[in-house]
Amino acid sequence: MKTKFSKKKKIILAVLGMILVAAWIWQYCSVKRFYHEHTTKTIAYYSMDESVPFGDDFLALHESAKDCYINVDNYEIVDFDDYVLNNGISLDTRQVEIPEKLVLIQITLQNEGLENRTINFTNFSLFGVDSNAPMDYELLCQINPILSDGAWGITLPQKGECQIILPYMLFADYYGYSTWNDLENYTFYLQCTSFPTVKCIQMGS
């Protein structure tokens, strides 16, 4: 009886060992594949006068905007205090830090397809050679009437288009003195897709 129990125990341990080895191999291959996919990205740069197709590239995991295009119509750098004052924007309920300046990027989104497409602006990012600018999500909803319900994205109907202003925050502490005082000549990039191709629209010098 004891011998049979010992054999069963050995078999169970052997099976468990094989399962653990298989799980380790699967995890190793998954990590390796993920690393490969995210270190072999192609980066494509566009200028402001180009209509950039999202194509088969993803904004984020499982989020695509196939048949949609993005244009950067205009961008400007403004003082935060002056902008909110001149536009009558209330800061009474603001919960995030107030920046010194803003980058305001006016974009046009177009859907040339036959399906509605959801575009989340949390998937867009703005960066420079040596810095990243976070989006001001509170201001995003305040300055775009279509987002007045607090949404951070839109559903773009088939054959439809929409204009949005994306506000990004600039903090003086993130930049060197000479760069901060010459931001008009600083090059920014708006990243609008993540993989397999990273598509960036260049603004500035």
Side-chain angles (χ1 to χ4, degrees):
M1 188 75 175
K2 187 176 180 180
T3 304
K4 288 183 178 180
F5 180 77
S6 297
K7 287 182 178 179
K8 287 183 179 180
K9 188 176 181 180
K10 289 180 180 178
I11 293 173
I12 292 172
L13 290 175
V15 171
L16 288 175
M18 292 173 65
I19 292 173
L20 288 174
V21 170
W24 183 86
I25 293 174
W26 178 84
Q27 184 179 24
Y28 173 80
C29 293
S30 297
V31 171
K32 187 175 181 180
R33 183 171 62 253
F34 178 87
Y35 178 79
H36 175 75
E37 289 175 353
H38 288 75
T39 53
T40 56
K41 292 179 180 178
T42 300
I43 303 178
Y45 294 97
Y46 298 84
S47 60
M48 286 180 56
D49 59 352
E50 293 182 86
S51 182
V52 181
F54 288 99
D56 293 325
D57 297 300
F58 289 86
L59 286 73
L61 188 63
H62 304 309
E63 292 188 37
S64 69
K66 190 174 182 179
D67 300 320
C68 294
Y69 295 78
I70 178 173
N71 291 74
V72 171
D73 304 317
N74 186 44
Y75 94 101
E76 60 178 333
I77 298 172
V78 299
D79 290 324
F80 181 89
D81 290 339
D82 291 344
Y83 182 75
V84 297
L85 179 63
N86 294 335
N87 289 276
I89 298 171
S90 173
L91 301 179
D92 293 344
T93 60
R94 188 175 178 85
Q95 298 181 13
V96 298
E97 186 178 357
I98 293 177
E100 288 86 356
K101 294 180 181 293
L102 292 167
V103 179
L104 300 175
I105 305 172
Q106 182 175 315
I107 64 171
T108 297
L109 296 167
Q110 296 173 299
N111 183 359
E112 298 295 333
L114 298 177
E115 295 182 19
N116 296 345
R117 295 292 182 183
T118 298
I119 298 178
N120 292 313
F121 301 120
T122 56
N123 296 324
F124 293 179
S125 61
L126 185 71
F127 66 93
V129 175
D130 54 1
S131 66
N132 291 294
M135 182 177 284
D136 192 327
Y137 290 108
E138 293 190 24
L139 204 58
L140 174 69
C141 298
Q142 289 178 293
I143 64 178
N144 293 288
I146 195 173
L147 303 176
S148 59
D149 59 353
W152 292 349
I154 61 167
T155 297
L156 199 59
Q158 53 183 306
K159 300 298 181 180
E161 72 172 47
C162 179
Q163 286 191 324
I164 294 287
I165 297 175
L166 304 176
Y168 288 92
M169 299 183 286
L170 299 179
F171 296 93
D173 291 344
Y174 293 4
Y175 301 84
Y177 178 82
S178 58
T179 300
W180 182 255
N181 287 282
D182 194 30
L183 285 174
E184 298 297 335
N185 293 311
Y186 187 77
T187 301
F188 287 101
Y189 299 91
L190 179 66
Q191 179 180 327
C192 48
T193 64
S194 295
F195 64 92
T197 302
V198 177
K199 292 178 178 176
C200 303
I201 302 173
Q202 180 178 331
M203 295 163 289
S205 300

